[in-house]
Amino acid sequence: QVQLVESGGGVVHPGGSLRLSCSVSGTILSIDAVEWYRQGPGKQRELVAIITSRSTKYAEFVKARITISRDNAKNTTYLQMDSLKPYDTAVYYCNAHISTPGTPPIHDEYWGQGTQVTVST
């Protein structure tokens, strides 16, 4: 059974940094892509960043402040967030597109439970 666990959220002051982690466990063939989303209070969920084996992409509102990366050996994706601002306050979710054993292989997407990031004075 595949599971995603996010961690690394917390409370920081404006200008501070956090590194979120999204760890995948279970029997898998590959992690094809990982997306980070966020949902602020009273707002819709929005895409923050995407990483595949070939590329990374960022939402305009986080460019130059956020870096997405992955450690394939650990099946973990990271979201390094710097120069945090109050409007970055949200629950951050990772969504992984994963291939699991099957004939043919099974492609599905999995969501984590979310991790709270609060930026406040």
Side-chain angles (χ1 to χ4, degrees), residues 75-111:
N75 287 339
T76 299
T77 300
Y78 303 99
L79 193 69
Q80 176 67 42
M81 305 191 296
D82 301 312
S83 302
L84 284 164
K85 305 179 187 303
Y87 64 73
D88 293 317
T89 294
V91 178
Y92 285 71
Y93 300 89
C94 69
N95 177 37
H97 299 260
I98 296 173
S99 298
T100 55
T103 307
I106 301 167
H107 305 287
D108 210 341
E109 60 179 295
Y110 299 83
W111 287 89

Side-chain angles (χ1 to χ4, degrees), residues 8 10 13 18 22 27 44 57 69 72 76 89 96 102-103 106 108 112 118:
H13 294 305
L18 284 174
C22 173
T27 302
Q44 291 188 331
K57 293 183 181 179
S69 62
N72 293 327
T76 299
T89 294
T103 307
I106 301 167
D108 210 341
T118 302

